[in-house]
Amino acid sequence: MNAPHRIDPLVIAGKSYGSRLLTGTGKFKDLEETRLATEAAAAEIVTVAIRRTNIGQAPGEPNLLDVLPPDRYTLLPNTAGCYTAEEAVRTCRLARELLDGHALVKLEVLGDQKTLFPDVVATLQAAETLVAEGFQVMVYTSDDPILAKRLEAIGCVAVMPLAAPIGSGLGVQNRYNLMEIVENASVPIIVDAGVGTASDAAIAMELGCDGVLMNTAIAGARDPLLMAHAMKLAVEAGRAAFKAGRIPRKRYASASSPVDGLVG
């Protein structure tokens, strides 16, 4: 049997990836744990909080690129910690300068510090500006199907609805909204935020999402490396189950063995 990723790659902005698990690089105890967890997850796309992580803007400081080199991983600079469209756009421009013209970015504009829900109005504004400037925008948003289509129409290369609040570990809270988003999308839909354990990731994938991005669920686990491995397997299993097609749900039992031709 062929390896699943070879026959079913994740394609973002024209580039194919074998892994559908995207991971963050924050919250680990050190860069070595970041490297090991990323390897255990088999992630190929890793997010980098430009305002919180050194990727060369602080000479002499530990550099994330030393453990996650750009020739091995696709770096996804993100605008974590931005609360206005202007802040987010400036951060993406900085990332492009630091990474020699790198265009792929993750946009998030937060609404408040308590919930960390996205400010959808500011997100739309920032997305329009960034797309116009030639950025390939993967955008964090709420699980609103109408907003997801609007962001796709703007030109975002992937839409990333939350499963639950950032860092909450609550798992998928509104599977019907996610299903609606997935069924009407022509760009990848990647669940971003709220995953707590492997079953949460599997559920997101079984609903038809194209990938899952997570950080806290791995970095905050008692054993981050083991959890990274578990998440890798969960994403693969969930995708395979979605592609295979689950049996219909029924109210009553259905015998698994035929009743015709019984002996005796």
Side-chain angles (χ1 to χ4, degrees):
M1 180 177 178
N2 290 327
H5 68 270
R6 294 186 178 179
I7 58 176
D8 185 32
L10 170 63
V11 180
I12 298 176
K15 184 174 180 179
S16 296
Y17 300 91
S19 174
R20 292 176 178 270
L21 175 57
L22 294 68
T23 57
T25 55
K27 301 187 178 181
F28 292 101
K29 67 179 182 181
D30 53 33
L31 290 181
E32 179 63 8
E33 184 175 76
T34 304
R35 180 184 71 81
L36 293 172
T38 304
E39 291 178 352
E44 297 175 37
I45 302 175
V46 294
T47 64
V48 181
I50 295 299
R51 302 178 71 183
R52 301 170 180 167
T53 306
N54 179 32
I55 57 171
Q57 67 268 48
E61 299 281 331
N63 190 329
L64 181 70
L65 303 186
D66 291 336
V67 297
L68 299 178
D71 61 350
R72 180 176 177 185
Y73 297 97
T74 293
L75 299 181
L76 183 59
N78 70 58
T79 61
C82 291
Y83 288 85
T84 68
E86 294 75 17
E87 276 186 307
V89 170
R90 282 199 304 271
T91 301
C92 289
R93 289 170 179 163
L94 173 61
R96 184 157 60 182
E97 290 180 14
L98 290 170
L99 296 171
D100 298 323
H102 186 87
L104 188 67
V105 295
K106 178 195 166 189
L107 170 65
E108 58 181 78
V109 185
L110 303 178
D112 66 77
Q113 294 185 353
K114 180 180 180 181
T115 66
L116 299 182
F117 283 138
D119 180 332
V120 296
V121 174
T123 297
L124 285 166
Q125 293 172 345
E128 289 176 337
T129 298
L130 291 169
V131 170
E133 292 186 7
F135 285 94
Q136 297 169 331
V137 180
M138 299 174 64
V139 57
Y140 165 68
T141 183
S142 63
D143 58 358
D144 180 342
I146 305 302
L147 182 60
K149 287 302 293 183
R150 179 78 179 275
L151 290 164
E152 180 182 330
I154 286 172
C156 295
V157 299
V159 176
M160 309 177 74
L162 54 79
I166 292 173
S168 67
L170 291 173
V172 176
Q173 292 297 294
N174 195 336
R175 63 180 63 197
Y176 298 105
N177 272 23
L178 282 182
M179 290 170 63
E180 185 71 17
I181 291 172
V182 167
E183 289 171 2
N184 290 283
S186 56
V187 298
I189 302 300
I190 299 172
V191 161
D192 179 15
V195 169
T197 191
S199 58
D200 299 332
I203 287 170
M205 297 303 296
E206 288 171 4
L207 292 174
C209 293
D210 297 282
V212 180
L213 188 152
M214 64 184 74
N215 185 194
T216 305
I218 294 174
R222 186 171 61 249
D223 185 335
L225 305 189
L226 187 57
M227 183 61 81
H229 178 65
M231 292 298 189
K232 169 185 178 293
L233 299 179
V235 167
E236 291 176 352
R239 179 63 179 181
F242 170 72
K243 296 288 286 187
R246 64 159 293 135
I247 62 171
R249 291 181 171 88
K250 299 177 181 178
R251 185 175 177 185
Y252 300 107
S254 176
S256 58
S257 300
V259 295
D260 295 336
L262 292 179
V263 177

